[in-house]
Amino acid sequence: MTESKNVNGHYYPQFDTGWGSFAEELFHYTSRYYFATEAFLRSLVHDNSFVMSGYKAARLSSEQRDLLAAVLSCAPDEASAAVVISIVEKVQRKDPSIDAEALEQYGDRLNCEHQNEAADRRTHATVQQDVSSLDPFLNLAERLQIPVAVCDHHVDVSLHALAEHLQSPNSALRTNLHNAIIGLHSAGYVLRNHPNLTHSEARDISDDGVI
């Protein structure tokens, strides 16, 4: 049986780890750090014109929420990001509808016929300090002069700085950076905004042996 998320008594498929905290942003709330999610989606679809301003997760219709959950249960790529963007734009226009083609493509990932015991199961991702999963992100951050601190399973970084580079005109950089972010998420790390983080502070607060 597929593990499910219980949200107010409604069951949804588990989100793919590659979305990381961006999935929570899209599905549950809209914080002042939405620009990082916006930049991540832009980098996936190679379109810097997309904006999330005005999007509120609370305004998702039930059909849109179901479809969004189905899409977020898939790995982030150009196709899944395009559907997410379509949903966001409909919410911005206060249009409660969904695209029939997207529902046909992703709807089979929804399974609302879960056994009751599925609601009681809890999954705890065991995060290991896997330096190899951190290396691509840390190497890019060093190249871009972005201070990064790794504390337990959190990766502290300025999300403003990250968003700027996710919108770089250099397509290879955008691709490498969003792949590195997906790798972090998939390894169980959580990006956490740390404005004005300095290299000195990053060294002081990082776990020994990581930075």
Side-chain angles (χ1 to χ4, degrees):
M1 182 185 299
T2 303
E3 197 76 32
S4 61
K5 289 171 63 70
N6 181 359
V7 181
N8 297 325
H10 196 107
Y11 296 106
Y12 299 98
Q14 289 288 341
F15 300 149
D16 186 271
T17 54
W19 291 99
S21 59
F22 300 141
E24 301 299 314
E25 182 88 39
L26 287 160
F27 196 79
H28 292 293
Y29 57 84
T30 308
S31 74
R32 65 183 183 276
Y33 305 127
Y34 73 84
F35 52 81
T37 303
E38 175 186 87
F40 182 69
L41 289 167
R42 285 178 173 181
S43 71
L44 286 168
V45 299
H46 315 294
D47 181 3
N48 283 343
S49 66
F50 167 67
V51 295
M52 275 186 65
S53 178
Y55 171 76
K56 299 291 183 183
R59 297 176 184 164
L60 286 159
S61 68
S62 59
E63 292 81 6
Q64 288 170 339
R65 189 172 292 277
D66 284 349
L67 178 58
L68 180 60
V71 177
L72 293 176
S73 73
C74 301
D77 58 19
E78 186 171 0
S80 57
V83 177
V84 170
I85 286 174
S86 173
I87 294 171
V88 169
E89 290 177 339
K90 282 179 177 291
V91 172
Q92 289 169 322
R93 298 194 303 268
K94 299 182 180 179
D95 177 354
S97 69
I98 55 176
D99 293 328
E101 184 177 338
L103 182 61
E104 181 178 355
Q105 182 178 0
Y106 293 96
D108 61 352
R109 299 190 66 87
L110 287 170
N111 180 11
C112 298
E113 301 298 326
H114 295 286
Q115 300 292 334
N116 289 335
E117 59 264 25
D120 298 325
R121 290 209 298 266
R122 297 290 183 270
T123 56
H124 298 281
T126 301
V127 178
Q128 299 178 352
Q129 293 294 353
D130 183 357
V131 177
S132 63
S133 65
L134 285 167
D135 277 349
F137 184 80
L138 296 179
N139 289 340
L140 279 169
E142 181 179 9
R143 171 184 162 191
L144 298 170
Q145 292 296 299
I146 302 175
V148 177
V150 180
C151 314
D152 187 21
H153 61 289
H154 292 107
V155 177
D156 286 17
V157 65
S158 166
L159 292 183
H160 271 292
L162 202 60
E164 287 178 0
H165 290 293
L166 279 169
Q167 300 172 86
S168 167
N170 184 326
S171 61
L173 173 59
R174 291 197 310 270
T175 298
N176 290 338
L177 187 54
H178 86 239
N179 285 341
I181 291 171
I182 291 172
L184 281 182
H185 291 161
S186 297
Y189 291 94
V190 177
L191 283 171
R192 185 166 59 183
N193 190 46
H194 194 139
N196 305 315
L197 179 67
T198 66
H199 286 93
S200 176
E201 184 181 4
R203 286 191 294 270
D204 289 342
I205 66 177
S206 288
D207 294 331
D208 291 341
V210 178
I211 298 295

